[in-house]
Amino acid sequence: MREFWMSSSPHIRAARDTRRVMSFVIIALIPPLVAGVYFFGMRALILAIVCVLSCVGAEYGIRRLLKKESSIGDLSAVVTGLITALILPPTMPIWMTIVGCVFAIVVVKEFFGGLGKNIFNPAASARVFLMSAWPAFTNAYIEPRPFFSKDWFSVVDGVTSATPHLRKLSEMTITKGWDAIGKLFWGNISGSMGETSAFAILLGGIFLLATGIIRWEIPATYLGLSVLLALLGNYNPAYYLFAGGLMFGAFFMATDYVTSPRTFWGRVLFGAGLAVLTFVIRRFGSLPEGVVYSILIMNGFTPLINSLIKPRVFGKVKK
Amino acid sequence: MKPLFKFRRGVHPPYRKLTASSPIQRAKTPEVAVIPLKQHAGAPAQPVVSPKESVSVGQLIGKSSAFISANVHSSVTGVVKEISPMPTPSGEKVLSVVIETTEDETPEPKPIRNPDELSGEEIVNIIAESGIVGMGGAGFPTHVKLKPPKPIDTLIINGCECEPYLTGDHRLMLEKPDEIIQGIELLMKALNVRECYIGIEDNKPDAIKLFEEKLRGRPIKVVEVKTKYPQGAEKVLIKSITGREVPVGGLPLDVGVVVQNVGTAHAVYEAVILGKPLYERVVTVTGEVNEPKNLLVRIGTPISQLIEECGGYKEGAARLIMGGPMMGIALFSDEVPVIKTTTGLIALPGLPEVRRYPCINCGTCIDVCPMGLIPKMFPILYEKGRFQEAAEEFDVMNCMECGCCEYECPSRVPIVQSIRAIKSRLRREGKR
């Protein structure tokens, strides 16, 4: 008698699995990565490689130590590594970066149970960890280096220079700063490696939206409401959007499945909360930025949003 | 522009309707027919024949024993060999009448009744006698649905066939439109309703056009519904067409609707007008077989024989599904008979190595659930044994097991399996 494999319905599956989702995110991160390397040189590329290797290595190591099955095949550690690199200054000292990555993977992700169980976005946590440990280095932004120049090939650590654009955000009222928008859009300006080029971020973000990997609710409400708040707060709205980590955070970090709400209205609320928090931090805080903090704070609200906002059950009569 | 009738959420699996243009062919009469006495929802029928007795095609062999039950008829002319428990597609052994065919007889039934002379009640009685059950795969006895305890104002005929691969209903609509329409009119009379819609997915434009032409000027309206799985699920179709929502834990009759499949309408025509009980049905044999076909098959025909008629399995075939690939059941063997609910037989390749990942809270399962549930919660609740919470907080009983969530889940979490486990636990505990 011919024997058959048994399976439980549904007997067919969509092709997209977690590994493929992560691969798509990696592809989407390529434009900001390329922009970062183009503007800041080899040092930026080395930083990215170091971050990816230390995240993957940390995940492999800790799971081995905890006698758990290796999970590096799901590629989520690669994503964390890339994002961490892209939100750091290109000249961040290597050893500090490694410490940050190990913190992100071991403490923020694996200590909470690994992929899917972490409450906070690992990359954002790494950035905040490094900011509190070595603030002088996390705020040491370099000016873009001419492509293929001698400087472009330089690989030395942490050359400090002032952070020109972010400090000036408070001075960028509606009428000012429009001359810098072109530079900000293309990314030819000092800043974190992957955050400067709004153009590259949009390329990656549109790719993620078009392939259905991320949904539009979070970036749309976050960015849309941010523009509104910028206008209300008398900021140059384009400057407000393109300077700093807002664009990158909205597309690549706030949309992290694990740490963001799972329903439509939950995501809308999440995006709105991010916009308000970012505005409050930028307007009233002593920090120039606020995107990663906003994301981490809203991450903390995600379980609450998930339990408050549920889809309407078909055929359920409102009580 | 025509309004497109649709519902929220759902998925778009690849349809792979390989047999959409293959006319229905009559399958060979089996040498031995194994006819289970329970092929429907409800209580099994009681045998009314005994071993060594001669039976003819269409003769009653199992009598309905309860309110929710159905008669069973012989599909061949022959001699009863034995009456004993035999394996069935569900994996369960069911008391079955085994009949050795002595004569390959294919009766050519002729109209014996005039529909105008029949009352609604008479129609329901003939349907009950003829052992008709829901032909869409659920197998609920049709006559029970035609005696609703609440007032009904709308009859919906389900011609969606939203499951991938299956084409039996589609072919039936193209080849037997007049018979189906007569069947629908009989159903309307039995239910005493004036309003009737036939919902057909817009991936079957030929069937839509044909029925629109045939139904011009009649009270039955063709509704072109969006091609999306699970459009053909009862509750979903009612919502798409009438906008009414069957309440949680309720039945279509709670919103004044009865839904019947096109195949059922056809069977009703045959039973009432031709006096032919339900002993054969259309089965789509497809997937990894060499010549996929739509076959008119006598109930009790071994599945292996149909596969042979379709040129045998292709090399890669490793699974055999009865029903559609989204909601059908996997068969452990092809040495089981076709029953009244066998809509299709699909040979599928083996499962590619399924790599499971932890749930990443992506929310896809929520985005596709037509019932508005949070499917990702069920595997977690099952593992923790929180069955009551699954029922009370997360409405697990509202799940119809359409499989959209698990189909799309990128982490390959066995969601539907855990839902079934929770439901059976809850039923066992007797709490709803």
Side-chain angles (χ1 to χ4, degrees):
Chain A
M1 194 173 85
R2 192 184 170 111
E3 282 185 358
F4 294 96
W5 295 25
M6 297 300 282
S7 58
S8 171
S9 72
H11 305 283
I12 49 174
R13 300 292 202 132
R16 183 179 289 170
D17 67 357
T18 298
R19 187 192 168 94
R20 192 178 287 204
V21 168
M22 295 298 168
S23 321
F24 275 50
V25 177
I26 293 167
I27 293 168
L29 286 166
I30 289 173
L33 177 69
V34 169
V37 175
Y38 175 81
F39 289 119
F40 301 110
M42 291 302 285
R43 187 59 179 66
L45 183 62
I46 288 170
L47 187 79
I49 293 168
V50 165
C51 281
V52 170
L53 290 180
S54 43
C55 281
V56 173
E59 185 162 306
Y60 181 79
I62 187 70
R63 289 192 78 97
R64 201 161 173 161
L65 214 63
L66 298 174
K67 298 196 167 55
K68 286 181 176 176
E69 203 188 333
S70 170
S71 58
I72 53 172
D74 63 35
L75 301 180
S76 62
V78 177
V79 170
T80 299
L82 269 178
I83 293 181
T84 306
L86 292 172
I87 58 175
L88 286 173
T91 51
M92 190 73 196
I94 297 294
W95 73 273
M96 292 180 195
T97 309
I98 295 175
V99 174
C101 287
V102 170
F103 173 80
I105 293 293
V106 173
V107 179
V108 182
K109 187 177 170 192
E110 292 300 328
F111 280 5
F112 280 80
L115 178 66
K117 304 257 173 43
N118 51 300
I119 298 170
F120 298 102
N121 181 294
S125 311
R127 162 87 205 188
V128 168
F129 174 83
L130 292 172
M131 273 201 279
S132 20
W134 297 287
F137 291 93
T138 52
N139 289 328
Y141 296 107
I142 54 163
E143 288 295 326
R145 294 164 165 174
F147 188 55
F148 254 64
S149 65
K150 191 166 148 268
D151 272 353
W152 194 84
F153 287 102
S154 156
V155 291
V156 269
D157 282 1
V159 195
T160 11
S161 74
T163 61
H165 69 283
L166 291 178
R167 287 222 182 114
K168 280 195 295 184
L169 180 63
S170 55
E171 294 158 22
M172 290 301 132
T173 55
I174 290 182
T175 49
K176 287 184 191 152
W178 287 99
D179 54 316
I181 298 304
K183 269 189 164 182
L184 279 168
F185 181 75
W186 296 109
N188 188 12
I189 198 150
S190 71
S192 294
M193 172 181 171
E195 290 179 347
T196 61
S197 175
F199 172 72
I201 294 165
L202 277 174
L203 276 187
I206 289 167
F207 172 76
L208 288 181
L209 284 170
T211 50
I213 299 287
I214 62 169
R215 298 165 186 90
W216 57 268
E217 296 93 273
I218 291 172
T221 42
Y222 191 6
L223 298 175
L225 191 59
S226 285
V227 168
L228 253 158
L229 289 170
L231 288 169
L232 284 175
N234 194 23
Y235 286 111
N236 175 335
Y239 209 97
Y240 188 95
L241 270 191
F242 296 155
L246 185 51
M247 293 281 291
F248 188 85
F251 283 108
F252 291 104
M253 289 155 83
T255 53
D256 171 17
Y257 291 153
V258 179
T259 56
S260 66
R262 56 195 179 209
T263 56
F264 179 92
W265 289 109
R267 291 190 283 266
V268 170
L269 185 65
F270 186 82
L274 286 171
V276 171
L277 282 173
T278 305
F279 180 79
V280 168
I281 294 170
R282 283 185 172 184
R283 181 76 181 73
F284 305 106
S286 52
L287 285 162
E289 252 284 64
V291 172
V292 282
Y293 283 109
S294 310
I295 290 172
L296 288 175
I297 293 170
M298 287 312 290
N299 286 166
F301 277 104
T302 295
L304 182 67
I305 296 174
N306 276 341
S307 66
L308 288 180
I309 300 185
K310 290 179 183 171
R312 194 187 71 86
V313 174
F314 185 98
K316 191 134 185 164
V317 192
K318 273 181 202 146
K319 282 183 193 130
Chain B
M1 207 182 92
K2 271 189 236 160
L4 201 55
F5 292 83
K6 55 185 180 185
F7 64 100
R8 288 188 66 198
R9 309 194 177 97
V11 296
H12 292 282
Y15 287 95
R16 302 209 171 102
K17 305 267 191 186
L18 312 175
T19 47
S21 48
S22 328
I24 300 167
Q25 302 168 30
R26 181 170 279 283
K28 279 189 214 123
T29 307
E31 280 166 28
V32 176
V34 178
I35 305 175
L37 290 167
K38 182 179 177 340
Q39 309 175 28
H40 46 261
Q46 297 302 319
V48 292
V49 288
S50 38
K52 295 193 183 129
E53 199 178 318
S54 292
V55 291
S56 58
V57 63
Q59 183 183 330
L60 185 74
I61 55 172
K63 193 155 173 48
S64 160
S65 57
F67 178 62
I68 300 179
S69 181
N71 285 343
V72 177
H73 300 80
S74 176
S75 59
V76 293
T77 296
V79 179
V80 177
K81 220 168 97 186
E82 55 175 321
I83 301 174
S84 52
M86 299 293 274
T88 59
S90 68
E92 199 186 351
K93 276 194 173 179
V94 172
L95 193 65
S96 307
V97 179
V98 183
I99 303 166
E100 221 169 46
T101 308
T102 50
E103 208 181 318
D104 189 355
E105 193 191 14
T106 309
E108 279 299 328
K110 288 184 189 69
I112 57 162
R113 291 194 192 95
N114 181 352
D116 300 330
E117 289 164 11
L118 293 167
S119 72
E121 210 185 323
E122 284 169 324
I123 294 170
V124 177
N125 288 339
I126 298 169
I127 290 170
E129 279 162 26
S130 308
I132 297 177
V133 302
M135 303 287 278
F140 194 81
T142 302
H143 64 278
V144 180
K145 268 175 139 182
L146 297 177
K147 284 186 259 181
K150 288 188 182 178
I152 299 296
D153 61 11
T154 306
L155 170 68
I156 291 178
I157 300 298
N158 189 347
C160 293
E161 206 164 48
C162 61
E163 278 268 16
Y165 289 99
L166 302 184
T167 56
D169 288 349
H170 185 191
R171 288 312 305 177
L172 207 57
M173 286 192 281
L174 293 179
E175 295 174 31
K176 308 270 182 188
D178 298 312
E179 290 85 344
I180 291 171
I181 291 168
Q182 277 199 62
I184 296 173
E185 284 170 342
L186 290 164
L187 286 167
M188 287 174 74
K189 194 165 179 184
L191 283 166
N192 192 24
V193 295
R194 272 152 219 272
E195 225 170 321
C196 177
Y197 302 94
I198 170 164
I200 307 174
E201 281 193 339
D202 61 0
N203 64 353
K204 298 179 254 300
D206 45 0
I208 293 170
K209 198 167 156 251
L210 184 63
F211 273 79
E212 273 175 350
E213 278 166 15
K214 299 247 178 212
L215 290 171
R216 199 160 290 146
R218 295 210 218 188
I220 306 165
K221 288 179 213 75
V222 178
V223 181
E224 183 177 348
V225 290
K226 192 175 174 195
T227 302
K228 183 158 80 164
Y229 179 86
Q231 183 64 265
E234 231 175 29
K235 289 179 177 186
V236 168
L237 187 62
I238 294 171
K239 170 83 178 167
S240 291
I241 292 182
T242 66
R244 299 178 199 171
E245 269 186 24
V246 177
V248 175
L251 293 168
L253 58 92
D254 290 318
V255 291
V257 180
V258 166
V259 181
Q260 298 285 2
N261 182 267
V262 284
T264 312
H266 180 252
V268 165
Y269 159 82
E270 290 198 327
V272 177
I273 306 296
L274 308 181
K276 176 185 161 194
L278 179 56
Y279 63 77
E280 57 186 4
R281 67 156 299 141
V282 180
V283 179
T284 304
V285 183
T286 182
E288 302 295 304
V289 292
N290 287 312
E291 300 156 35
K293 281 175 187 168
N294 295 302
L295 294 171
L296 181 62
V297 184
R298 292 173 198 248
I299 305 297
T301 305
I303 285 167
S304 53
Q305 182 186 316
L306 300 182
I307 301 289
E308 227 169 85
E309 274 196 76
C310 292
Y313 296 106
K314 279 191 189 165
E315 203 159 308
R319 288 180 292 162
L320 184 61
I321 311 299
M322 183 179 106
M326 294 296 287
M327 284 187 79
I329 55 169
L331 300 181
F332 60 96
S333 157
D334 55 11
E335 294 301 331
V336 290
V338 164
I339 59 173
K340 290 177 185 176
T341 53
T342 308
T343 50
L345 294 163
I346 308 169
L348 290 176
L351 285 168
E353 188 202 342
V354 177
R355 202 196 298 254
R356 281 191 179 148
Y357 300 95
C359 169
I360 49 173
N361 196 42
C362 65
T364 307
C365 55
I366 302 168
D367 288 346
V368 300
C369 178
M371 290 291 111
L373 306 178
I374 306 176
K376 70 152 273 178
M377 290 306 297
F378 299 123
I380 300 168
L381 294 171
Y382 174 68
E383 222 160 85
K384 297 189 173 163
R386 284 147 66 182
F387 306 116
Q388 283 304 316
E389 193 181 340
E392 284 154 24
E393 302 278 318
F394 295 97
D395 294 286
V396 69
M397 285 305 185
N398 213 23
C399 171
M400 53 191 183
E401 298 168 28
C402 66
C404 289
C405 51
E406 200 174 322
Y407 171 77
E408 285 285 357
C409 178
S411 292
R412 311 306 200 207
V413 177
I415 305 173
V416 180
Q417 223 170 326
S418 58
I419 290 175
R420 269 191 220 115
I422 292 174
K423 282 181 171 176
S424 77
R425 265 305 263 277
L426 286 168
R427 284 199 193 102
R428 224 180 307 154
E429 285 167 21
K431 286 162 190 164
R432 222 185 118 136

